[in-house]
Amino acid sequence: MTTNTGLRPMASQQCTRRGLLLSAALAALWPPALRAQGFDARSLRLVCPFGPGASLDYLSRLVAKRTTEAGHGPAVVENQTGAGGLVALESVARAPADGASVLVGTSGPIVLLPLMQPQLVKVDPAQALTPLCLMAVQKQVLAVRADFPARSVQDLIAHARSTQAPLSFGSPGLGTTPHLAGELFNRMAGLDIVHVPYRGSAASLLDLVSGQLPMVYTDIASILPHVKDGRVRLLGSTSAEPPQSLPNLPSIASQGMPGFDTSSWYGLFVHTATPAAIKSDLARKFSAVLAQPEVVAGILEKGMEPLNLQLDAASAFIARDRARWKRVLAQLDLPR
């Protein structure tokens, strides 16, 4: 029995030939080293551990769009949420080591969770993943609702010590840098403000502006719209230096808490076993994308600050950050 394809034999041969030529042309866009390794430029996926609306999702989509436009092969974002970022981390660590799966990682699952709750971490990120590029630093802020009786960090400390009513602070979740900022604040100020974890920044900010929560630690991009409409007031940044996007906002460190710094970072990671030629090529291409003026502007617009460190420099940065957090967590002595 013969199936009628609707194509004449000559037309079918021409279509096949055109397809082969197109495939060859696409493959030629990639360096010989990558083609020899069998790398498929058309299947590059950026695995983001947080959902749409998060700063990391925004950055993932910005980098994917510009990577595609730069001719480095279509890149798509795949959101794999859950377990504080561990779901996405494990997905990339267990994917083929061909460079086609890239984790858009942050300090939470890469550094903090392995230190805080090692029993939850099935894959050691320090062994399973290699950083290609560190993209940006994310600085957070301490914010209170507009009617809260504090206009500075010292006001907050004085109020917390004098009030009989219990105080609480919100964060995007357990083990996040905003959560640890609140715990470090408690430790350094000698307070016991209760932590209320949420599933992301949006939920905590909803309770803040509705009057259900007095204060939050959160990222700049999420809080700024509420600051502009007058429903929220910023008391300080959690970074050692003021954010570039808020140069007049004093740091918590400068308000009587020297050494206070809980900044986080965002980076791109691949399976450690990925061939060196692919790692180097991807790092170079992502770094070029991150250097584009439009990408730098997009990072700054969301309250982040460009970093753009590659390979060994990125690894050294993460090692220093891991050592810093190890010291901080030893001081906090949080339950595991």
Side-chain angles (χ1 to χ4, degrees):
M1 180 176 178
T2 304
T3 302
N4 184 2
T5 64
L7 291 173
R8 296 188 301 276
M10 182 62 71
S12 178
Q13 292 173 10
Q14 289 174 345
C15 288
T16 301
R17 184 170 179 273
R18 287 171 185 163
L20 291 172
L21 289 173
L22 179 59
S23 297
L26 288 171
L29 292 174
W30 289 84
L34 268 68
R35 294 200 299 273
Q37 299 285 355
F39 183 76
D40 183 2
R42 291 161 289 175
S43 62
L44 187 66
R45 65 180 185 131
L46 304 186
V47 182
C48 177
F50 302 112
S55 296
L56 193 57
D57 177 74
Y58 165 83
L59 185 55
S60 301
R61 295 183 186 282
L62 177 63
V63 170
K65 179 175 181 290
R66 292 295 179 175
T67 298
T68 300
E69 292 174 350
H72 301 326
V76 297
V77 174
E78 184 177 303
N79 298 93
Q80 293 194 21
T81 63
L86 293 179
V87 171
L89 186 155
E90 291 170 10
S91 172
V92 173
R94 290 169 176 161
D98 57 6
S101 296
V102 179
L103 174 69
V104 188
T106 182
S107 49
I110 301 293
V111 170
L112 294 177
L113 282 176
L115 292 175
M116 293 176 64
Q117 296 180 307
Q119 72 279 8
L120 299 180
V121 181
K122 300 175 183 177
V123 175
D124 181 2
Q127 300 297 321
L129 299 173
T130 296
L132 298 173
C133 289
L134 291 185
M135 301 183 289
V137 170
Q138 175 68 278
K139 297 181 177 181
Q140 290 93 27
V141 292
L142 167 58
V144 297
R145 63 175 188 259
D147 63 349
F148 190 79
R151 293 188 171 273
S152 69
V153 164
Q154 290 303 317
D155 286 351
L156 171 58
I157 294 172
H159 175 74
R161 288 174 177 168
S162 63
T163 185
Q164 298 299 315
L167 288 177
S168 59
F169 73 88
S171 84
L174 288 167
T176 60
T177 46
H179 166 211
L180 295 181
E183 298 291 357
L184 183 60
F185 188 95
N186 276 346
R187 174 78 177 189
M188 295 181 72
L191 300 175
D192 189 22
I193 303 175
V194 178
H195 175 227
V196 181
Y198 288 80
R199 292 177 64 87
S201 296
S204 66
L205 295 182
L206 181 61
D207 274 4
L208 179 70
V209 298
S210 66
Q212 304 300 309
L213 192 66
M215 70 191 80
V216 298
Y217 294 85
T218 190
D219 64 279
I220 295 171
S222 297
I223 197 74
L224 277 184
H226 303 297
V227 175
K228 291 176 181 178
D229 67 18
R231 293 187 289 176
V232 169
R233 182 166 57 250
L234 301 182
L235 298 189
S237 70
T238 68
S239 52
E241 300 294 334
Q244 292 182 26
S245 56
L246 296 168
N248 296 321
L249 179 67
S251 66
I252 293 174
S254 70
Q255 298 182 69
M257 291 193 173
F260 194 104
D261 182 7
T262 60
S263 300
S264 60
W265 45 260
Y266 298 146
L268 299 168
F269 297 77
V270 291
H271 196 297
T272 296
T274 301
I278 293 178
K279 290 178 185 175
S280 296
D281 194 79
L282 285 174
R284 177 179 59 81
K285 287 175 175 173
F286 280 130
S287 181
V289 167
L290 292 168
Q292 294 178 9
E294 297 85 355
V295 175
V296 172
I299 289 172
L300 291 171
E301 180 185 350
K302 292 297 183 179
M304 298 176 278
E305 298 181 9
L307 199 54
N308 203 353
L309 298 177
Q310 296 181 53
L311 297 171
D312 290 345
S315 294
F317 182 98
I318 294 171
R320 291 192 299 271
D321 193 55
R322 184 177 289 109
R324 175 176 72 93
W325 277 114
K326 194 171 183 178
R327 293 192 299 270
V328 171
L329 291 170
Q331 296 173 11
L332 297 179
D333 193 26
L334 297 175
R336 294 191 174 188

